Amino acid sequence: MSVPRFWRRLKNLYNLIGTHCKKCGEYYYPPRNMCPKCRRIGQVVPFKFKGIGEVVTFTIVHSAAKDFAKNTPYILAIIKLEEGPHLTSQVICNHNDIHIGMKVKSAFRKLGEESEKGMIYYGTKFVPLADN
Amino acid sequence: MNVGIVSYGAYIPRYRIKIEEIAKVWGDDASSILDGLMIYEKSVPDMDEDTITIAVEAARHAINRAGVDPGRIGAIFTGSESHPYAVKPTSTVVAEAIGATPDLTVADFEFACKAGTAAIQACMGLAESGIVDLGMAIGADVSQGAPGDALEYSAAAGGVAYVIGKENLIAKIESTYSFTTDTPDFWRREGMPYPEHGGRFTGEPGYFKHVTSAATGLMKRMGTKPSDYNYAIFHQPNGKFPTRVAKMLGFSGEQIKPGLVVPRLGNTYSGSCMMGLAATLDIAKPGDRIFMTAFGSGAGSDAFSISVTDRIDEIRNRAPSVEKLLSNPIYMDYATYAKHKGKIKL
């Protein structure tokens, strides 16, 4: 991820800010500038998601891209937020505990870094809802 | 003073390493270390946790506990000796992550283990003078201890955030007093990964001189004595120092017990004394008085006299208590700990 690209998405990554169409009631994450259902009559506004959701499906990554190699094995999951949108995120928990339907909540974590002297990227991952 | 604590929030990573596990690697006698330090285990950050993520989680708990509107926060100061960036404030990320930007001032503080309480004092000044509505002071660290060094048995991870203001207080700060000298008991040079320390030199001329001077200085100014307080918290580099200094000053074991979190947590440096205060606020009753003295190597001490208000009972349970954060830990071996702490370079 380049620094400008991260900076543009920073608010979305930190606080799960997506969009909501007031016309049809649909929620979007990542945010959309236009509602694909309502098109030009849509009323799209920023929306901050609560950060509560459940695991739809998951995998455990043992062989990762170079930037994530030191974190293996890690859990990558598709999360369905309470408000409806699905997103892909790491889930931080015991690998024996992860299961489909698991309730999760957002947590603020490091997503990665450019290098030892480069930018650190922060954002949202998920942990079990029952965690402290 | 017409200023105090509006809310507070703490965060502790779930991982722990036991003292016996570290001693086993370096061939040390675990029982003598346990007796000497009175620390049984210490917290360890996850692979993707650092001072910024810990500060953000603590700040979010503080915001949620009292339902604070982040837009009212006019200043955020984060004290730490393990800021991830040498240049790029931790507090900018915290401000953005809690939704307090852009109408505020932020800065990072550094004063060994008392940078967080120095941040509280700065927020007190800004809030009481009316320059800001609310200020947020954070103490957070993923403290460093070189492999095999004595510090490795205590250097832990955690953070605490306090919202400081003039209204809707859960605790009034009655007064504060600081005692500071140039005492080279502990330092870390620019670019160096681990701190150096003066061994036993950190005790008498460092910790004990400054803590006792700040504590007696504040009580003398206020005309109070140890028996006027229900609870007391002193900086906790280990379990032995705060226990001994409390006795020297005339505080009892019962007064320091609720805030003495170091045996199960380790030394969270800038979060250390503030974590003890959070644990004490978790159980304090309206009307209780709390005495706190932080210490930072280099060296200085900040003493505070605090009085708990009726509002504490309204908001206390809206965010995790320190006891809850200490519960249900995940224990790790030394190899995994070394990986988490970046001691193994890939």
mmCIF file with all atom_site columns, all heavy atoms in Angstrom, chain A residues 48, chain B residues 7-9 56-70 98 136 163 311 315 317-320:
data_model
loop_
_atom_site.group_PDB
_atom_site.id
_atom_site.type_symbol
_atom_site.label_atom_id
_atom_site.label_alt_id
_atom_site.label_comp_id
_atom_site.label_asym_id
_atom_site.label_entity_id
_atom_site.label_seq_id
_atom_site.pdbx_PDB_ins_code
_atom_site.Cartn_x
_atom_site.Cartn_y
_atom_site.Cartn_z
_atom_site.occupancy
_atom_site.B_iso_or_equiv
_atom_site.pdbx_formal_charge
_atom_site.auth_seq_id
_atom_site.auth_comp_id
_atom_site.auth_asym_id
_atom_site.auth_atom_id
_atom_site.pdbx_PDB_model_num
ATOM 1   N N   . LYS A 1 48  ? -20.848 5.642  9.979  1.00 0.00 ? 48  LYS A N   1
ATOM 2   C CA  . LYS A 1 48  ? -19.870 4.934  10.816 1.00 0.00 ? 48  LYS A CA  1
ATOM 3   C C   . LYS A 1 48  ? -20.499 3.646  11.345 1.00 0.00 ? 48  LYS A C   1
ATOM 4   O O   . LYS A 1 48  ? -21.481 3.696  12.095 1.00 0.00 ? 48  LYS A O   1
ATOM 5   C CB  . LYS A 1 48  ? -19.429 5.824  11.983 1.00 0.00 ? 48  LYS A CB  1
ATOM 6   C CG  . LYS A 1 48  ? -18.347 5.202  12.829 1.00 0.00 ? 48  LYS A CG  1
ATOM 7   C CD  . LYS A 1 48  ? -17.903 6.150  13.938 1.00 0.00 ? 48  LYS A CD  1
ATOM 8   C CE  . LYS A 1 48  ? -16.912 5.455  14.848 1.00 0.00 ? 48  LYS A CE  1
ATOM 9   N NZ  . LYS A 1 48  ? -16.482 6.317  15.939 1.00 0.00 ? 48  LYS A NZ  1
ATOM 10  N N   . SER B 2 7   ? -13.455 10.991 32.675 1.00 0.00 ? 7   SER B N   1
ATOM 11  C CA  . SER B 2 7   ? -13.567 9.575  32.327 1.00 0.00 ? 7   SER B CA  1
ATOM 12  C C   . SER B 2 7   ? -12.176 8.951  32.265 1.00 0.00 ? 7   SER B C   1
ATOM 13  O O   . SER B 2 7   ? -11.164 9.666  32.263 1.00 0.00 ? 7   SER B O   1
ATOM 14  C CB  . SER B 2 7   ? -14.275 9.401  30.983 1.00 0.00 ? 7   SER B CB  1
ATOM 15  O OG  . SER B 2 7   ? -14.522 8.027  30.732 1.00 0.00 ? 7   SER B OG  1
ATOM 16  N N   . TYR B 2 8   ? -12.147 7.625  32.197 1.00 0.00 ? 8   TYR B N   1
ATOM 17  C CA  . TYR B 2 8   ? -10.868 6.928  32.057 1.00 0.00 ? 8   TYR B CA  1
ATOM 18  C C   . TYR B 2 8   ? -11.092 5.618  31.330 1.00 0.00 ? 8   TYR B C   1
ATOM 19  O O   . TYR B 2 8   ? -12.204 5.062  31.321 1.00 0.00 ? 8   TYR B O   1
ATOM 20  C CB  . TYR B 2 8   ? -10.215 6.679  33.429 1.00 0.00 ? 8   TYR B CB  1
ATOM 21  C CG  . TYR B 2 8   ? -10.959 5.693  34.295 1.00 0.00 ? 8   TYR B CG  1
ATOM 22  C CD1 . TYR B 2 8   ? -10.548 4.366  34.415 1.00 0.00 ? 8   TYR B CD1 1
ATOM 23  C CD2 . TYR B 2 8   ? -12.107 6.080  35.004 1.00 0.00 ? 8   TYR B CD2 1
ATOM 24  C CE1 . TYR B 2 8   ? -11.230 3.458  35.214 1.00 0.00 ? 8   TYR B CE1 1
ATOM 25  C CE2 . TYR B 2 8   ? -12.798 5.176  35.794 1.00 0.00 ? 8   TYR B CE2 1
ATOM 26  C CZ  . TYR B 2 8   ? -12.362 3.867  35.894 1.00 0.00 ? 8   TYR B CZ  1
ATOM 27  O OH  . TYR B 2 8   ? -13.046 2.970  36.673 1.00 0.00 ? 8   TYR B OH  1
ATOM 28  N N   . GLY B 2 9   ? -10.039 5.118  30.708 1.00 0.00 ? 9   GLY B N   1
ATOM 29  C CA  . GLY B 2 9   ? -10.125 3.836  30.006 1.00 0.00 ? 9   GLY B CA  1
ATOM 30  C C   . GLY B 2 9   ? -8.756  3.192  29.962 1.00 0.00 ? 9   GLY B C   1
ATOM 31  O O   . GLY B 2 9   ? -7.743  3.882  29.841 1.00 0.00 ? 9   GLY B O   1
ATOM 32  N N   . VAL B 2 56  ? -4.904  3.959  21.365 1.00 0.00 ? 56  VAL B N   1
ATOM 33  C CA  . VAL B 2 56  ? -6.219  4.122  20.734 1.00 0.00 ? 56  VAL B CA  1
ATOM 34  C C   . VAL B 2 56  ? -7.281  3.312  21.472 1.00 0.00 ? 56  VAL B C   1
ATOM 35  O O   . VAL B 2 56  ? -8.370  3.815  21.772 1.00 0.00 ? 56  VAL B O   1
ATOM 36  C CB  . VAL B 2 56  ? -6.169  3.711  19.242 1.00 0.00 ? 56  VAL B CB  1
ATOM 37  C CG1 . VAL B 2 56  ? -7.578  3.592  18.661 1.00 0.00 ? 56  VAL B CG1 1
ATOM 38  C CG2 . VAL B 2 56  ? -5.358  4.717  18.444 1.00 0.00 ? 56  VAL B CG2 1
ATOM 39  N N   . GLU B 2 57  ? -6.964  2.063  21.805 1.00 0.00 ? 57  GLU B N   1
ATOM 40  C CA  . GLU B 2 57  ? -7.954  1.230  22.508 1.00 0.00 ? 57  GLU B CA  1
ATOM 41  C C   . GLU B 2 57  ? -8.287  1.813  23.880 1.00 0.00 ? 57  GLU B C   1
ATOM 42  O O   . GLU B 2 57  ? -9.455  1.836  24.292 1.00 0.00 ? 57  GLU B O   1
ATOM 43  C CB  . GLU B 2 57  ? -7.436  -0.213 22.654 1.00 0.00 ? 57  GLU B CB  1
ATOM 44  C CG  . GLU B 2 57  ? -7.328  -0.979 21.333 1.00 0.00 ? 57  GLU B CG  1
ATOM 45  C CD  . GLU B 2 57  ? -8.681  -1.362 20.739 1.00 0.00 ? 57  GLU B CD  1
ATOM 46  O OE1 . GLU B 2 57  ? -9.719  -1.101 21.361 1.00 0.00 ? 57  GLU B OE1 1
ATOM 47  O OE2 . GLU B 2 57  ? -8.700  -1.910 19.626 1.00 0.00 ? 57  GLU B OE2 1
ATOM 48  N N   . ALA B 2 58  ? -7.268  2.297  24.598 1.00 0.00 ? 58  ALA B N   1
ATOM 49  C CA  . ALA B 2 58  ? -7.511  2.911  25.909 1.00 0.00 ? 58  ALA B CA  1
ATOM 50  C C   . ALA B 2 58  ? -8.355  4.176  25.745 1.00 0.00 ? 58  ALA B C   1
ATOM 51  O O   . ALA B 2 58  ? -9.301  4.415  26.506 1.00 0.00 ? 58  ALA B O   1
ATOM 52  C CB  . ALA B 2 58  ? -6.184  3.233  26.593 1.00 0.00 ? 58  ALA B CB  1
ATOM 53  N N   . ALA B 2 59  ? -8.028  4.980  24.733 1.00 0.00 ? 59  ALA B N   1
ATOM 54  C CA  . ALA B 2 59  ? -8.773  6.225  24.488 1.00 0.00 ? 59  ALA B CA  1
ATOM 55  C C   . ALA B 2 59  ? -10.229 5.932  24.142 1.00 0.00 ? 59  ALA B C   1
ATOM 56  O O   . ALA B 2 59  ? -11.141 6.629  24.610 1.00 0.00 ? 59  ALA B O   1
ATOM 57  C CB  . ALA B 2 59  ? -8.102  7.008  23.358 1.00 0.00 ? 59  ALA B CB  1
ATOM 58  N N   . ARG B 2 60  ? -10.460 4.895  23.342 1.00 0.00 ? 60  ARG B N   1
ATOM 59  C CA  . ARG B 2 60  ? -11.845 4.539  22.980 1.00 0.00 ? 60  ARG B CA  1
ATOM 60  C C   . ARG B 2 60  ? -12.627 4.074  24.214 1.00 0.00 ? 60  ARG B C   1
ATOM 61  O O   . ARG B 2 60  ? -13.809 4.386  24.353 1.00 0.00 ? 60  ARG B O   1
ATOM 62  C CB  . ARG B 2 60  ? -11.839 3.456  21.891 1.00 0.00 ? 60  ARG B CB  1
ATOM 63  C CG  . ARG B 2 60  ? -11.479 4.013  20.528 1.00 0.00 ? 60  ARG B CG  1
ATOM 64  C CD  . ARG B 2 60  ? -11.420 2.938  19.466 1.00 0.00 ? 60  ARG B CD  1
ATOM 65  N NE  . ARG B 2 60  ? -11.261 3.509  18.138 1.00 0.00 ? 60  ARG B NE  1
ATOM 66  C CZ  . ARG B 2 60  ? -11.068 2.803  17.030 1.00 0.00 ? 60  ARG B CZ  1
ATOM 67  N NH1 . ARG B 2 60  ? -11.001 1.481  17.102 1.00 0.00 ? 60  ARG B NH1 1
ATOM 68  N NH2 . ARG B 2 60  ? -10.938 3.403  15.863 1.00 0.00 ? 60  ARG B NH2 1
ATOM 69  N N   . HIS B 2 61  ? -11.976 3.343  25.098 1.00 0.00 ? 61  HIS B N   1
ATOM 70  C CA  . HIS B 2 61  ? -12.656 2.928  26.333 1.00 0.00 ? 61  HIS B CA  1
ATOM 71  C C   . HIS B 2 61  ? -13.005 4.144  27.191 1.00 0.00 ? 61  HIS B C   1
ATOM 72  O O   . HIS B 2 61  ? -14.071 4.185  27.816 1.00 0.00 ? 61  HIS B O   1
ATOM 73  C CB  . HIS B 2 61  ? -11.781 1.958  27.129 1.00 0.00 ? 61  HIS B CB  1
ATOM 74  C CG  . HIS B 2 61  ? -11.734 0.581  26.531 1.00 0.00 ? 61  HIS B CG  1
ATOM 75  N ND1 . HIS B 2 61  ? -10.708 -0.296 26.746 1.00 0.00 ? 61  HIS B ND1 1
ATOM 76  C CD2 . HIS B 2 61  ? -12.593 -0.069 25.719 1.00 0.00 ? 61  HIS B CD2 1
ATOM 77  C CE1 . HIS B 2 61  ? -10.936 -1.428 26.095 1.00 0.00 ? 61  HIS B CE1 1
ATOM 78  N NE2 . HIS B 2 61  ? -12.077 -1.306 25.457 1.00 0.00 ? 61  HIS B NE2 1
ATOM 79  N N   . ALA B 2 62  ? -12.104 5.130  27.214 1.00 0.00 ? 62  ALA B N   1
ATOM 80  C CA  . ALA B 2 62  ? -12.376 6.351  27.990 1.00 0.00 ? 62  ALA B CA  1
ATOM 81  C C   . ALA B 2 62  ? -13.550 7.133  27.381 1.00 0.00 ? 62  ALA B C   1
ATOM 82  O O   . ALA B 2 62  ? -14.399 7.646  28.102 1.00 0.00 ? 62  ALA B O   1
ATOM 83  C CB  . ALA B 2 62  ? -11.126 7.224  28.047 1.00 0.00 ? 62  ALA B CB  1
ATOM 84  N N   . ILE B 2 63  ? -13.596 7.202  26.066 1.00 0.00 ? 63  ILE B N   1
ATOM 85  C CA  . ILE B 2 63  ? -14.694 7.909  25.373 1.00 0.00 ? 63  ILE B CA  1
ATOM 86  C C   . ILE B 2 63  ? -16.020 7.197  25.661 1.00 0.00 ? 63  ILE B C   1
ATOM 87  O O   . ILE B 2 63  ? -17.031 7.826  25.987 1.00 0.00 ? 63  ILE B O   1
ATOM 88  C CB  . ILE B 2 63  ? -14.424 7.920  23.845 1.00 0.00 ? 63  ILE B CB  1
ATOM 89  C CG1 . ILE B 2 63  ? -13.196 8.786  23.522 1.00 0.00 ? 63  ILE B CG1 1
ATOM 90  C CG2 . ILE B 2 63  ? -15.656 8.372  23.073 1.00 0.00 ? 63  ILE B CG2 1
ATOM 91  C CD1 . ILE B 2 63  ? -13.406 10.257 23.692 1.00 0.00 ? 63  ILE B CD1 1
ATOM 92  N N   . ASN B 2 64  ? -16.007 5.871  25.554 1.00 0.00 ? 64  ASN B N   1
ATOM 93  C CA  . ASN B 2 64  ? -17.242 5.096  25.736 1.00 0.00 ? 64  ASN B CA  1
ATOM 94  C C   . ASN B 2 64  ? -17.726 5.095  27.186 1.00 0.00 ? 64  ASN B C   1
ATOM 95  O O   . ASN B 2 64  ? -18.929 5.086  27.433 1.00 0.00 ? 64  ASN B O   1
ATOM 96  C CB  . ASN B 2 64  ? -17.027 3.645  25.278 1.00 0.00 ? 64  ASN B CB  1
ATOM 97  C CG  . ASN B 2 64  ? -16.816 3.558  23.776 1.00 0.00 ? 64  ASN B CG  1
ATOM 98  O OD1 . ASN B 2 64  ? -17.205 4.461  23.037 1.00 0.00 ? 64  ASN B OD1 1
ATOM 99  N ND2 . ASN B 2 64  ? -16.175 2.491  23.322 1.00 0.00 ? 64  ASN B ND2 1
ATOM 100 N N   . ARG B 2 65  ? -16.785 5.085  28.122 1.00 0.00 ? 65  ARG B N   1
ATOM 101 C CA  . ARG B 2 65  ? -17.177 4.968  29.539 1.00 0.00 ? 65  ARG B CA  1
ATOM 102 C C   . ARG B 2 65  ? -18.085 6.134  29.962 1.00 0.00 ? 65  ARG B C   1
ATOM 103 O O   . ARG B 2 65  ? -19.068 5.920  30.664 1.00 0.00 ? 65  ARG B O   1
ATOM 104 C CB  . ARG B 2 65  ? -15.932 4.896  30.416 1.00 0.00 ? 65  ARG B CB  1
ATOM 105 C CG  . ARG B 2 65  ? -16.258 4.896  31.904 1.00 0.00 ? 65  ARG B CG  1
ATOM 106 C CD  . ARG B 2 65  ? -15.057 4.554  32.761 1.00 0.00 ? 65  ARG B CD  1
ATOM 107 N NE  . ARG B 2 65  ? -15.038 3.133  33.078 1.00 0.00 ? 65  ARG B NE  1
ATOM 108 C CZ  . ARG B 2 65  ? -13.993 2.341  32.964 1.00 0.00 ? 65  ARG B CZ  1
ATOM 109 N NH1 . ARG B 2 65  ? -12.859 2.802  32.529 1.00 0.00 ? 65  ARG B NH1 1
ATOM 110 N NH2 . ARG B 2 65  ? -14.077 1.059  33.280 1.00 0.00 ? 65  ARG B NH2 1
ATOM 111 N N   . ALA B 2 66  ? -17.764 7.344  29.535 1.00 0.00 ? 66  ALA B N   1
ATOM 112 C CA  . ALA B 2 66  ? -18.574 8.496  29.961 1.00 0.00 ? 66  ALA B CA  1
ATOM 113 C C   . ALA B 2 66  ? -19.420 9.061  28.822 1.00 0.00 ? 66  ALA B C   1
ATOM 114 O O   . ALA B 2 66  ? -20.066 10.096 29.000 1.00 0.00 ? 66  ALA B O   1
ATOM 115 C CB  . ALA B 2 66  ? -17.671 9.583  30.530 1.00 0.00 ? 66  ALA B CB  1
ATOM 116 N N   . GLY B 2 67  ? -19.416 8.399  27.662 1.00 0.00 ? 67  GLY B N   1
ATOM 117 C CA  . GLY B 2 67  ? -20.188 8.923  26.533 1.00 0.00 ? 67  GLY B CA  1
ATOM 118 C C   . GLY B 2 67  ? -19.716 10.303 26.110 1.00 0.00 ? 67  GLY B C   1
ATOM 119 O O   . GLY B 2 67  ? -20.518 11.190 25.792 1.00 0.00 ? 67  GLY B O   1
ATOM 120 N N   . VAL B 2 68  ? -18.393 10.496 26.098 1.00 0.00 ? 68  VAL B N   1
ATOM 121 C CA  . VAL B 2 68  ? -17.818 11.805 25.767 1.00 0.00 ? 68  VAL B CA  1
ATOM 122 C C   . VAL B 2 68  ? -17.925 12.063 24.260 1.00 0.00 ? 68  VAL B C   1
ATOM 123 O O   . VAL B 2 68  ? -17.640 11.166 23.455 1.00 0.00 ? 68  VAL B O   1
ATOM 124 C CB  . VAL B 2 68  ? -16.330 11.856 26.197 1.00 0.00 ? 68  VAL B CB  1
ATOM 125 C CG1 . VAL B 2 68  ? -15.666 13.127 25.703 1.00 0.00 ? 68  VAL B CG1 1
ATOM 126 C CG2 . VAL B 2 68  ? -16.205 11.735 27.704 1.00 0.00 ? 68  VAL B CG2 1
ATOM 127 N N   . ASP B 2 69  ? -18.343 13.258 23.879 1.00 0.00 ? 69  ASP B N   1
ATOM 128 C CA  . ASP B 2 69  ? -18.334 13.667 22.474 1.00 0.00 ? 69  ASP B CA  1
ATOM 129 C C   . ASP B 2 69  ? -16.884 13.989 22.100 1.00 0.00 ? 69  ASP B C   1
ATOM 130 O O   . ASP B 2 69  ? -16.314 14.959 22.625 1.00 0.00 ? 69  ASP B O   1
ATOM 131 C CB  . ASP B 2 69  ? -19.234 14.898 22.302 1.00 0.00 ? 69  ASP B CB  1
ATOM 132 C CG  . ASP B 2 69  ? -19.111 15.501 20.909 1.00 0.00 ? 69  ASP B CG  1
ATOM 133 O OD1 . ASP B 2 69  ? -18.447 14.906 20.041 1.00 0.00 ? 69  ASP B OD1 1
ATOM 134 O OD2 . ASP B 2 69  ? -19.689 16.591 20.698 1.00 0.00 ? 69  ASP B OD2 1
ATOM 135 N N   . PRO B 2 70  ? -16.259 13.200 21.203 1.00 0.00 ? 70  PRO B N   1
ATOM 136 C CA  . PRO B 2 70  ? -14.840 13.437 20.885 1.00 0.00 ? 70  PRO B CA  1
ATOM 137 C C   . PRO B 2 70  ? -14.572 14.845 20.346 1.00 0.00 ? 70  PRO B C   1
ATOM 138 O O   . PRO B 2 70  ? -13.468 15.371 20.482 1.00 0.00 ? 70  PRO B O   1
ATOM 139 C CB  . PRO B 2 70  ? -14.531 12.389 19.810 1.00 0.00 ? 70  PRO B CB  1
ATOM 140 C CG  . PRO B 2 70  ? -15.592 11.354 19.943 1.00 0.00 ? 70  PRO B CG  1
ATOM 141 C CD  . PRO B 2 70  ? -16.809 12.070 20.442 1.00 0.00 ? 70  PRO B CD  1
ATOM 142 N N   . ILE B 2 98  ? -10.226 8.369  17.257 1.00 0.00 ? 98  ILE B N   1
ATOM 143 C CA  . ILE B 2 98  ? -11.386 8.567  18.147 1.00 0.00 ? 98  ILE B CA  1
ATOM 144 C C   . ILE B 2 98  ? -12.314 9.647  17.603 1.00 0.00 ? 98  ILE B C   1
ATOM 145 O O   . ILE B 2 98  ? -13.315 9.978  18.245 1.00 0.00 ? 98  ILE B O   1
ATOM 146 C CB  . ILE B 2 98  ? -10.970 8.901  19.606 1.00 0.00 ? 98  ILE B CB  1
ATOM 147 C CG1 . ILE B 2 98  ? -10.225 10.239 19.687 1.00 0.00 ? 98  ILE B CG1 1
ATOM 148 C CG2 . ILE B 2 98  ? -10.159 7.778  20.204 1.00 0.00 ? 98  ILE B CG2 1
ATOM 149 C CD1 . ILE B 2 98  ? -10.036 10.732 21.113 1.00 0.00 ? 98  ILE B CD1 1
ATOM 150 N N   . MET B 2 136 ? -7.308  15.134 26.773 1.00 0.00 ? 136 MET B N   1
ATOM 151 C CA  . MET B 2 136 ? -7.095  13.701 26.994 1.00 0.00 ? 136 MET B CA  1
ATOM 152 C C   . MET B 2 136 ? -5.608  13.445 27.235 1.00 0.00 ? 136 MET B C   1
ATOM 153 O O   . MET B 2 136 ? -4.769  13.848 26.422 1.00 0.00 ? 136 MET B O   1
ATOM 154 C CB  . MET B 2 136 ? -7.581  12.879 25.799 1.00 0.00 ? 136 MET B CB  1
ATOM 155 C CG  . MET B 2 136 ? -7.311  11.385 25.968 1.00 0.00 ? 136 MET B CG  1
ATOM 156 S SD  . MET B 2 136 ? -7.939  10.394 24.619 1.00 0.00 ? 136 MET B SD  1
ATOM 157 C CE  . MET B 2 136 ? -9.624  10.130 25.142 1.00 0.00 ? 136 MET B CE  1
ATOM 158 N N   . VAL B 2 163 ? -9.706  11.458 30.517 1.00 0.00 ? 163 VAL B N   1
ATOM 159 C CA  . VAL B 2 163 ? -10.300 12.680 29.977 1.00 0.00 ? 163 VAL B CA  1
ATOM 160 C C   . VAL B 2 163 ? -10.375 13.679 31.127 1.00 0.00 ? 163 VAL B C   1
ATOM 161 O O   . VAL B 2 163 ? -10.937 13.375 32.191 1.00 0.00 ? 163 VAL B O   1
ATOM 162 C CB  . VAL B 2 163 ? -11.702 12.416 29.393 1.00 0.00 ? 163 VAL B CB  1
ATOM 163 C CG1 . VAL B 2 163 ? -12.301 13.718 28.866 1.00 0.00 ? 163 VAL B CG1 1
ATOM 164 C CG2 . VAL B 2 163 ? -11.631 11.373 28.281 1.00 0.00 ? 163 VAL B CG2 1
ATOM 165 N N   . ARG B 2 311 ? -20.533 10.585 40.732 1.00 0.00 ? 311 ARG B N   1
ATOM 166 C CA  . ARG B 2 311 ? -20.725 10.151 39.337 1.00 0.00 ? 311 ARG B CA  1
ATOM 167 C C   . ARG B 2 311 ? -19.982 8.862  38.997 1.00 0.00 ? 311 ARG B C   1
ATOM 168 O O   . ARG B 2 311 ? -20.309 8.192  38.024 1.00 0.00 ? 311 ARG B O   1
ATOM 169 C CB  . ARG B 2 311 ? -20.309 11.287 38.387 1.00 0.00 ? 311 ARG B CB  1
ATOM 170 C CG  . ARG B 2 311 ? -20.601 11.006 36.925 1.00 0.00 ? 311 ARG B CG  1
ATOM 171 C CD  . ARG B 2 311 ? -20.514 12.246 36.067 1.00 0.00 ? 311 ARG B CD  1
ATOM 172 N NE  . ARG B 2 311 ? -20.230 11.927 34.677 1.00 0.00 ? 311 ARG B NE  1
ATOM 173 C CZ  . ARG B 2 311 ? -21.095 11.392 33.835 1.00 0.00 ? 311 ARG B CZ  1
ATOM 174 N NH1 . ARG B 2 311 ? -22.307 11.127 34.212 1.00 0.00 ? 311 ARG B NH1 1
ATOM 175 N NH2 . ARG B 2 311 ? -20.738 11.123 32.569 1.00 0.00 ? 311 ARG B NH2 1
ATOM 176 N N   . ILE B 2 315 ? -20.876 5.635  35.740 1.00 0.00 ? 315 ILE B N   1
ATOM 177 C CA  . ILE B 2 315 ? -20.155 5.313  34.493 1.00 0.00 ? 315 ILE B CA  1
ATOM 178 C C   . ILE B 2 315 ? -19.160 4.166  34.621 1.00 0.00 ? 315 ILE B C   1
ATOM 179 O O   . ILE B 2 315 ? -18.653 3.673  33.628 1.00 0.00 ? 315 ILE B O   1
ATOM 180 C CB  . ILE B 2 315 ? -19.420 6.551  33.939 1.00 0.00 ? 315 ILE B CB  1
ATOM 181 C CG1 . ILE B 2 315 ? -18.227 6.911  34.817 1.00 0.00 ? 315 ILE B CG1 1
ATOM 182 C CG2 . ILE B 2 315 ? -20.361 7.734  33.798 1.00 0.00 ? 315 ILE B CG2 1
ATOM 183 C CD1 . ILE B 2 315 ? -17.252 7.819  34.107 1.00 0.00 ? 315 ILE B CD1 1
ATOM 184 N N   . ASN B 2 317 ? -19.062 0.986  35.041 1.00 0.00 ? 317 ASN B N   1
ATOM 185 C CA  . ASN B 2 317 ? -19.183 -0.312 34.359 1.00 0.00 ? 317 ASN B CA  1
ATOM 186 C C   . ASN B 2 317 ? -19.416 -0.229 32.854 1.00 0.00 ? 317 ASN B C   1
ATOM 187 O O   . ASN B 2 317 ? -19.722 -1.222 32.216 1.00 0.00 ? 317 ASN B O   1
ATOM 188 C CB  . ASN B 2 317 ? -20.303 -1.122 35.010 1.00 0.00 ? 317 ASN B CB  1
ATOM 189 C CG  . ASN B 2 317 ? -19.987 -1.443 36.453 1.00 0.00 ? 317 ASN B CG  1
ATOM 190 O OD1 . ASN B 2 317 ? -18.812 -1.670 36.803 1.00 0.00 ? 317 ASN B OD1 1
ATOM 191 N ND2 . ASN B 2 317 ? -20.998 -1.419 37.315 1.00 0.00 ? 317 ASN B ND2 1
ATOM 192 N N   . ARG B 2 318 ? -19.263 0.972  32.287 1.00 0.00 ? 318 ARG B N   1
ATOM 193 C CA  . ARG B 2 318 ? -19.508 1.106  30.843 1.00 0.00 ? 318 ARG B CA  1
ATOM 194 C C   . ARG B 2 318 ? -18.280 0.794  29.997 1.00 0.00 ? 318 ARG B C   1
ATOM 195 O O   . ARG B 2 318 ? -18.312 0.924  28.779 1.00 0.00 ? 318 ARG B O   1
ATOM 196 C CB  . ARG B 2 318 ? -19.994 2.526  30.541 1.00 0.00 ? 318 ARG B CB  1
ATOM 197 C CG  . ARG B 2 318 ? -21.346 2.841  31.154 1.00 0.00 ? 318 ARG B CG  1
ATOM 198 C CD  . ARG B 2 318 ? -21.835 4.161  30.603 1.00 0.00 ? 318 ARG B CD  1
ATOM 199 N NE  . ARG B 2 318 ? -22.834 4.778  31.451 1.00 0.00 ? 318 ARG B NE  1
ATOM 200 C CZ  . ARG B 2 318 ? -23.076 6.087  31.470 1.00 0.00 ? 318 ARG B CZ  1
ATOM 201 N NH1 . ARG B 2 318 ? -22.371 6.905  30.718 1.00 0.00 ? 318 ARG B NH1 1
ATOM 202 N NH2 . ARG B 2 318 ? -24.016 6.570  32.240 1.00 0.00 ? 318 ARG B NH2 1
ATOM 203 N N   . ALA B 2 319 ? -17.173 0.441  30.616 1.00 0.00 ? 319 ALA B N   1
ATOM 204 C CA  . ALA B 2 319 ? -15.948 0.046  29.892 1.00 0.00 ? 319 ALA B CA  1
ATOM 205 C C   . ALA B 2 319 ? -15.243 -1.006 30.757 1.00 0.00 ? 319 ALA B C   1
ATOM 206 O O   . ALA B 2 319 ? -15.505 -1.094 31.961 1.00 0.00 ? 319 ALA B O   1
ATOM 207 C CB  . ALA B 2 319 ? -15.059 1.265  29.658 1.00 0.00 ? 319 ALA B CB  1
ATOM 208 N N   . PRO B 2 320 ? -14.358 -1.798 30.160 1.00 0.00 ? 320 PRO B N   1
ATOM 209 C CA  . PRO B 2 320 ? -13.726 -2.890 30.925 1.00 0.00 ? 320 PRO B CA  1
ATOM 210 C C   . PRO B 2 320 ? -12.900 -2.380 32.104 1.00 0.00 ? 320 PRO B C   1
ATOM 211 O O   . PRO B 2 320 ? -12.173 -1.389 31.985 1.00 0.00 ? 320 PRO B O   1
ATOM 212 C CB  . PRO B 2 320 ? -12.823 -3.577 29.897 1.00 0.00 ? 320 PRO B CB  1
ATOM 213 C CG  . PRO B 2 320 ? -13.252 -3.081 28.576 1.00 0.00 ? 320 PRO B CG  1
ATOM 214 C CD  . PRO B 2 320 ? -13.904 -1.766 28.767 1.00 0.00 ? 320 PRO B CD  1
#
